[in-house]
Amino acid sequence: MNLRVEGVSFRYPSGVLALDGIDLAIPSGQLLAILGENGAGKTTLVKLFNGLLRPSQGKVYIGDWDSAEHTTAALARRVGFLFQNPDDQLFERTLAREVGYGPRNLGASEAEVKRRVARALKLVGLHDMAEAHPYDLPQPQRKLLALAATIAMDTPILVLDEPTIGQDEVGRGAISRILTDLHRMGRTLIMISHDMDFCAEHAQRMLVMLNGKIHVEGTTEDVMGQTKKLDEAEVAPPQLVRLAQALKMPGTPLTVDDFVDEYKQWRKKKKSK
Amino acid sequence: MIELKKFSYWYPGTEQPALDRVSLSIAEGEFIGIVGANGAGKSTLCYALSGFVPHFYNGETEGQHTFNGQDMASLDLGQLAGQVGLVFQNPFNQISGARFTVREEIAFGLENLGLPQSEMRARIDEALELVNIQDLAERSPFSVSGGQQQRIAIASILAMQPRVLVLDEPTSQLDPDGTRDMFTALNKLVSTRKITVILAEHKLEWLATFCDRVIALGGGKLRAEGSPQAVLSSEQMLRLGVGRTQYSEAAARLLRTKQLPVTLEQAKKALK
């Protein structure tokens, strides 16, 4: 499902203008990363997608719905939301009940709830702990649980706020696999993250925000190559891009494989000169 | 300064030790990084090094555990609190909730030390500046972002001017800029005041840039210890679930070298 934002501004009651004239189109099935320093407007923007906030000006379309004509509860059927802090969204007694809460609330049959719970817990690797209490899990696993609960809603669009925060290498690997699976299933994925190495590896497109505006937008490779624009937004490119730049290598390698290939070619060319 | 000898610790009611015969010696003025997968024992080691184990967390211990040569368990908690500060992983666990403004929140610990007002004011201003949140001084600690709360929690401990500062993933909520500020501030404390800084952290590039020494944990055991480059570039980091920087990963595919680069500068030098 696609998503469109037209001429949107948002002002908090305190008077702070958090979003200033945003136009954006996210096609169905895209994996988009939203970047920018703290306070740039990233979280405010995505909260408009499921009606947690409503624009002060402009329109947000979720598929063929004008979001202004739908309640937050209705929008939750189209846009799933993983909060930055998992404890903002966990409240049930067991993992299975937690993950089943959303689908049950949407009126899914018990058999359907069971099926979705099993699938979502399996996807995040917590299926062996279905009857455990959510707060018996350490925080990084609670984040995976919150992700399972979001997935079980079966929404065509998912917003993930800082999915890799506090995760070790194993957790990042799990989140990487989950995102790849969801992407393959055709979900539209929007991720806010400061984890540049992770974004560079997974996102198809990137959007960098600065002071409530879209500062630069494009394919991941294109955006990561725009050093000056990234500097202005205080966004550091991922490690491999920085290394390529430091070596004065051409190109914008986003993965280790890319880097190794481009490095070898560059050395070969240098030698033959 | 802090010494563990074959130190083991069990949380109440558990059979598996959270720390398993760990031997470790930390000198004054060192900047030490702790790495490990989630559940490897990083937080528990932070609690042990700051005296929260055994003073706050009950449970069983074995082996030696000393601070300046004195048995940690026998030390007076009030005295220890003046010397060692611990910043918790989750700022919610740290902020008292009993105060209305950030300034008052930071004053909370100082009031308990019985300092004169002028001294308290000076310390609060300095702590706010160190973590770059002067503009939040009059805000409520609950009206700010997670990253800002993390800075408030750190400022509250810094104001106490401990000789040892233990931080459990202090930059988890911070953006890259905030992370850089934090590491720079900690480095300044180590170099100008000879404070000992110990931090558990997943951000390997930053640890490699600033730390004198890195300790790697796995399953509650000490698995590796040494210079950041020696420890963080080793293949063992992959088995321990710590991972390696992308500089190390790229160089591993391109170079035959004993020690892979861990930082940008090292990688640039090695691949030039």
Side-chain angles (χ1 to χ4, degrees), chain A residues 147-163:
Chain A
L147 179 56
T150 311
I151 290 169
M153 300 284 283
D154 253 350
T155 54
I157 301 172
L158 275 115
V159 175
L160 312 170
D161 196 351
E162 295 285 2

mmCIF file of all heavy atoms in Angstrom, chain A residues 147-163:
data_model
loop_
_atom_site.group_PDB
_atom_site.id
_atom_site.type_symbol
_atom_site.label_atom_id
_atom_site.label_comp_id
_atom_site.label_asym_id
_atom_site.label_seq_id
_atom_site.Cartn_x
_atom_site.Cartn_y
_atom_site.Cartn_z
ATOM 1 N N LEU A 147 7.929 -5.892 18.283
ATOM 2 C CA LEU A 147 7.938 -6.022 16.819
ATOM 3 C C LEU A 147 6.986 -7.137 16.385
ATOM 4 O O LEU A 147 6.215 -6.989 15.425
ATOM 5 C CB LEU A 147 9.369 -6.281 16.334
ATOM 6 C CG LEU A 147 9.586 -6.457 14.835
ATOM 7 C CD1 LEU A 147 9.059 -5.259 14.055
ATOM 8 C CD2 LEU A 147 11.067 -6.641 14.516
ATOM 9 N N ALA A 148 7.004 -8.267 17.120
ATOM 10 C CA ALA A 148 6.089 -9.381 16.801
ATOM 11 C C ALA A 148 4.640 -8.912 16.912
ATOM 12 O O ALA A 148 3.793 -9.234 16.071
ATOM 13 C CB ALA A 148 6.343 -10.558 17.744
ATOM 14 N N ALA A 149 4.359 -8.122 17.959
ATOM 15 C CA ALA A 149 2.989 -7.628 18.150
ATOM 16 C C ALA A 149 2.581 -6.724 16.987
ATOM 17 O O ALA A 149 1.428 -6.745 16.538
ATOM 18 C CB ALA A 149 2.896 -6.869 19.476
ATOM 19 N N THR A 150 3.538 -5.959 16.494
ATOM 20 C CA THR A 150 3.258 -5.070 15.351
ATOM 21 C C THR A 150 3.011 -5.899 14.087
ATOM 22 O O THR A 150 2.081 -5.628 13.324
ATOM 23 C CB THR A 150 4.460 -4.112 15.133
ATOM 24 O OG1 THR A 150 4.800 -3.528 16.385
ATOM 25 C CG2 THR A 150 4.125 -3.025 14.146
ATOM 26 N N ILE A 151 3.831 -6.921 13.912
ATOM 27 C CA ILE A 151 3.712 -7.769 12.722
ATOM 28 C C ILE A 151 2.375 -8.509 12.702
ATOM 29 O O ILE A 151 1.741 -8.662 11.658
ATOM 30 C CB ILE A 151 4.887 -8.782 12.680
ATOM 31 C CG1 ILE A 151 6.193 -8.047 12.389
ATOM 32 C CG2 ILE A 151 4.636 -9.870 11.642
ATOM 33 C CD1 ILE A 151 7.428 -8.901 12.583
ATOM 34 N N ALA A 152 1.934 -8.959 13.893
ATOM 35 C CA ALA A 152 0.709 -9.765 13.980
ATOM 36 C C ALA A 152 -0.527 -8.975 13.547
ATOM 37 O O ALA A 152 -1.562 -9.562 13.248
ATOM 38 C CB ALA A 152 0.523 -10.273 15.409
ATOM 39 N N MET A 153 -0.433 -7.664 13.508
ATOM 40 C CA MET A 153 -1.562 -6.843 13.062
ATOM 41 C C MET A 153 -1.778 -6.994 11.560
ATOM 42 O O MET A 153 -2.801 -6.565 11.028
ATOM 43 C CB MET A 153 -1.305 -5.369 13.387
ATOM 44 C CG MET A 153 -1.122 -5.064 14.847
ATOM 45 S SD MET A 153 -2.668 -5.087 15.723
ATOM 46 C CE MET A 153 -3.348 -3.503 15.217
ATOM 47 N N ASP A 154 -0.777 -7.564 10.871
ATOM 48 C CA ASP A 154 -0.902 -7.806 9.429
ATOM 49 C C ASP A 154 -1.223 -6.539 8.643
ATOM 50 O O ASP A 154 -2.021 -6.577 7.699
ATOM 51 C CB ASP A 154 -1.995 -8.851 9.161
ATOM 52 C CG ASP A 154 -1.370 -10.173 8.754
ATOM 53 O OD1 ASP A 154 -0.147 -10.195 8.507
ATOM 54 O OD2 ASP A 154 -2.104 -11.183 8.676
ATOM 55 N N THR A 155 -0.634 -5.436 9.015
ATOM 56 C CA THR A 155 -0.905 -4.190 8.299
ATOM 57 C C THR A 155 -0.043 -4.123 7.041
ATOM 58 O O THR A 155 1.086 -4.621 7.047
ATOM 59 C CB THR A 155 -0.551 -2.976 9.179
ATOM 60 O OG1 THR A 155 0.794 -3.125 9.629
ATOM 61 C CG2 THR A 155 -1.481 -2.875 10.371
ATOM 62 N N PRO A 156 -0.548 -3.514 5.978
ATOM 63 C CA PRO A 156 0.270 -3.408 4.764
ATOM 64 C C PRO A 156 1.440 -2.442 4.918
ATOM 65 O O PRO A 156 2.408 -2.517 4.172
ATOM 66 C CB PRO A 156 -0.714 -2.895 3.709
ATOM 67 C CG PRO A 156 -1.857 -2.311 4.469
ATOM 68 C CD PRO A 156 -1.916 -3.001 5.794
ATOM 69 N N ILE A 157 1.345 -1.524 5.893
ATOM 70 C CA ILE A 157 2.425 -0.552 6.127
ATOM 71 C C ILE A 157 2.937 -0.713 7.556
ATOM 72 O O ILE A 157 2.134 -0.857 8.487
ATOM 73 C CB ILE A 157 1.922 0.899 5.926
ATOM 74 C CG1 ILE A 157 1.384 1.075 4.504
ATOM 75 C CG2 ILE A 157 3.015 1.914 6.232
ATOM 76 C CD1 ILE A 157 0.693 2.400 4.255
ATOM 77 N N LEU A 158 4.253 -0.713 7.728
ATOM 78 C CA LEU A 158 4.827 -0.785 9.083
ATOM 79 C C LEU A 158 5.805 0.356 9.299
ATOM 80 O O LEU A 158 6.658 0.610 8.441
ATOM 81 C CB LEU A 158 5.588 -2.090 9.271
ATOM 82 C CG LEU A 158 4.754 -3.283 9.692
ATOM 83 C CD1 LEU A 158 4.757 -4.319 8.598
ATOM 84 C CD2 LEU A 158 5.333 -3.882 10.945
ATOM 85 N N VAL A 159 5.675 1.008 10.439
ATOM 86 C CA VAL A 159 6.617 2.063 10.810
ATOM 87 C C VAL A 159 7.444 1.549 11.986
ATOM 88 O O VAL A 159 6.889 1.091 12.989
ATOM 89 C CB VAL A 159 5.866 3.342 11.247
ATOM 90 C CG1 VAL A 159 6.858 4.387 11.739
ATOM 91 C CG2 VAL A 159 5.029 3.883 10.105
ATOM 92 N N LEU A 160 8.755 1.585 11.849
ATOM 93 C CA LEU A 160 9.635 1.062 12.902
ATOM 94 C C LEU A 160 10.535 2.186 13.395
ATOM 95 O O LEU A 160 11.352 2.711 12.644
ATOM 96 C CB LEU A 160 10.497 -0.078 12.346
ATOM 97 C CG LEU A 160 9.749 -1.150 11.546
ATOM 98 C CD1 LEU A 160 10.731 -2.083 10.856
ATOM 99 C CD2 LEU A 160 8.824 -1.935 12.447
ATOM 100 N N ASP A 161 10.353 2.572 14.662
ATOM 101 C CA ASP A 161 11.152 3.671 15.219
ATOM 102 C C ASP A 161 12.369 3.078 15.932
ATOM 103 O O ASP A 161 12.227 2.425 16.960
ATOM 104 C CB ASP A 161 10.277 4.486 16.193
ATOM 105 C CG ASP A 161 10.885 5.842 16.510
ATOM 106 O OD1 ASP A 161 12.045 6.089 16.115
ATOM 107 O OD2 ASP A 161 10.193 6.654 17.151
ATOM 108 N N GLU A 162 13.537 3.291 15.384
ATOM 109 C CA GLU A 162 14.803 2.813 15.947
ATOM 110 C C GLU A 162 14.778 1.307 16.264
ATOM 111 O O GLU A 162 14.966 0.911 17.419
ATOM 112 C CB GLU A 162 15.150 3.590 17.225
ATOM 113 C CG GLU A 162 15.423 5.058 17.000
ATOM 114 C CD GLU A 162 16.776 5.322 16.361
ATOM 115 O OE1 GLU A 162 17.510 4.368 16.053
ATOM 116 O OE2 GLU A 162 17.081 6.505 16.148
ATOM 117 N N PRO A 163 14.572 0.460 15.247
ATOM 118 C CA PRO A 163 14.454 -0.968 15.541
ATOM 119 C C PRO A 163 15.709 -1.612 16.117
ATOM 120 O O PRO A 163 15.604 -2.599 16.834
ATOM 121 C CB PRO A 163 14.118 -1.592 14.177
ATOM 122 C CG PRO A 163 14.577 -0.602 13.170
ATOM 123 C CD PRO A 163 14.419 0.751 13.812
#
